[in-house]
Amino acid sequence: MRSRYDEGPGYRFANVPEPRRDLLKREGYITINTVQAVRGCPYKCNFCVVPVAWPGYLQRPVQEVIREIERLEGDNFLFLDLSPTENPTYIKQLYRELIPLKKRWGGLSTIRIARDREMLKLAAQSGCGGLLIGFESVSPATIKQMRKGFNKPEDYSEAVKIIHDHGIAINGCFVFGLDGDDKGIFERTVEFVNKAAIDLPRFSIATPFPGTPLYRQLQAQGRILIKDWTYYGGQKAASRSGLVLKTSLLANIGYTKYARMLPDYIPVPCEVEPWRVQLIESQ
Ligand code: SF4
């Protein structure tokens, strides 16, 4: 074994050995049915570890993915792919081939999926019950700083509605503490989450992961507070921001309980009050 494995040039994401799921303790996981079809991301948002860890954007052969899913026990599974929908031809083909399997799945996508009705329809037909989507911020200034220009806060509400109309629940992710944020960001975010009825919101503190442009910037500005990597989980402040933040323990316990109540990503009806998070702003 080597201490580190990197995706070398010319690496093909194919002929992947099937994971030994029989070695996993089922009770320790929401599901052990996790599948990868796409690796990497074509974008380079400044806080994100994905382009750093997986520099390529690779798709596994559709038939190989389908064979693995066919062999899974039960009818539910999760796609672990972080940015799977940016090669529309590939992903639509995968969704088409999934339809006859009649499985139910959850996964991730960028918000751009709401702009491609054919893709969204195929995702729903193939059994998609929920998507994790990185909204990141309701502040255009923060989005600009992140270099995630395809996220348009002014279009978020419409996008959420379109996705919900296809019967797909949304696990919406938001980040606080970048330089574009001001003290009003919490209230504006919660207002959006409640109005849009985001089914499962998730809030984290901007974290400068090593290797990212954000890390280099904050390092150069002398704003990295600590290099104890246990601080680098998105829930503790590792760098100095315009705002100093911590998320409450109670909020995290509440989140975990709520998430476990969403079996297999079954969409939550919109009339259910979205889970509320309490963010504590400290000095
Ligand atoms: S945040 Fe999402 S879209 Fe941006 S680089 Fe990471 S995976 Fe890609």
Side-chain angles (χ1 to χ4, degrees):
M1 297 289 286
R2 278 179 267 152
S3 58
R4 175 176 169 149
Y5 289 83
D6 283 309
E7 213 174 71
Y11 172 77
R12 281 191 68 240
F13 190 24
N15 301 318
V16 177
E18 206 163 309
R20 288 284 310 276
R21 296 187 176 87
D22 57 300
L23 298 175
L24 298 172
K25 288 186 179 148
R26 282 163 191 270
E27 63 280 7
Y29 302 89
I30 290 172
T31 178
I32 59 169
N33 283 352
T34 54
V35 177
Q36 271 194 305
V38 176
R39 189 177 288 169
C41 177
Y43 304 112
K44 296 198 184 326
C45 306
N46 81 335
F47 61 90
C48 183
V49 291
V50 175
V52 180
W54 297 282
Y57 187 50
L58 307 171
Q59 289 83 39
R60 202 172 152 204
V62 168
Q63 283 312 319
E64 191 179 313
V65 180
I66 294 291
R67 269 199 306 278
E68 184 179 335
I69 294 168
E70 275 173 338
R71 283 201 286 266
L72 293 174
E73 280 178 28
D75 293 331
N76 303 299
F77 71 96
L78 293 176
F79 275 124
L80 297 178
D81 314 325
L82 295 153
S83 192
T85 50
E86 305 312 304
N87 178 341
T89 310
Y90 171 84
I91 206 69
K92 286 177 190 176
Q93 184 59 25
L94 180 59
Y95 292 161
R96 275 190 203 100
E97 305 264 342
L98 267 176
I99 295 170
L101 270 51
K102 299 193 185 325
K103 300 260 186 186
R104 186 93 167 139
W105 62 270
L108 297 89
S109 171
T110 61
I111 191 83
R112 284 162 47 91
I113 195 169
R115 298 177 204 160
D116 187 332
R117 302 298 171 95
E118 186 192 23
M119 190 190 292
L120 200 48
K121 197 170 163 201
L122 284 168
Q125 287 172 340
S126 70
C128 178
L131 289 173
L132 182 154
I133 294 176
F135 292 87
E136 319 302 2
S137 180
V138 297
S139 155
T142 304
I143 290 290
K144 192 171 171 203
Q145 194 204 344
M146 289 173 172
R147 297 192 216 135
K148 194 161 183 174
F150 61 83
N151 269 23
K152 309 271 182 221
E154 65 274 21
D155 296 340
Y156 283 173
S157 296
E158 176 65 10
V160 169
K161 186 179 176 321
I162 293 168
I163 295 168
H164 277 164
D165 285 348
H166 285 76
I168 296 174
I170 297 175
N171 179 186
C173 296
F174 300 85
V175 180
F176 294 122
L178 287 167
D179 288 346
D181 287 350
D182 56 29
K183 287 189 176 181
I185 192 68
F186 309 111
E187 206 152 336
R188 294 200 300 279
T189 305
V190 171
E191 195 182 328
F192 162 70
V193 162
N194 286 338
K195 260 196 190 153
I198 299 279
D199 307 276
L200 181 59
R202 180 171 156 191
F203 305 97
S204 20
I205 296 172
T207 303
F209 294 107
T212 60
L214 181 63
Y215 182 91
R216 288 195 292 277
Q217 178 208 326
L218 295 177
Q219 173 80 343
Q221 294 170 339
R223 293 166 65 187
I224 304 282
L225 292 173
I226 191 160
K227 289 191 180 173
D228 170 353
W229 304 132
T230 62
Y231 275 69
Y232 285 68
Q235 298 300 312
K236 293 178 182 170
S239 62
R240 200 175 324 120
S241 110
L243 302 165
V244 183
L245 315 163
K246 62 179 180 178
T247 51
S248 82
L249 177 65
L250 268 180
N252 284 320
I253 293 169
Y255 177 87
T256 308
K257 269 184 88 174
Y258 186 92
R260 285 187 185 278
M261 281 161 48
L262 287 175
D264 311 318
Y265 265 104
I266 302 299
V268 179
C270 287
E271 61 268 21
V272 173
E273 182 97 0
W275 175 75
R276 290 172 186 281
V277 73
Q278 182 192 9
L279 276 163
I280 301 171
E281 189 184 348
S282 65
Q283 292 308 307

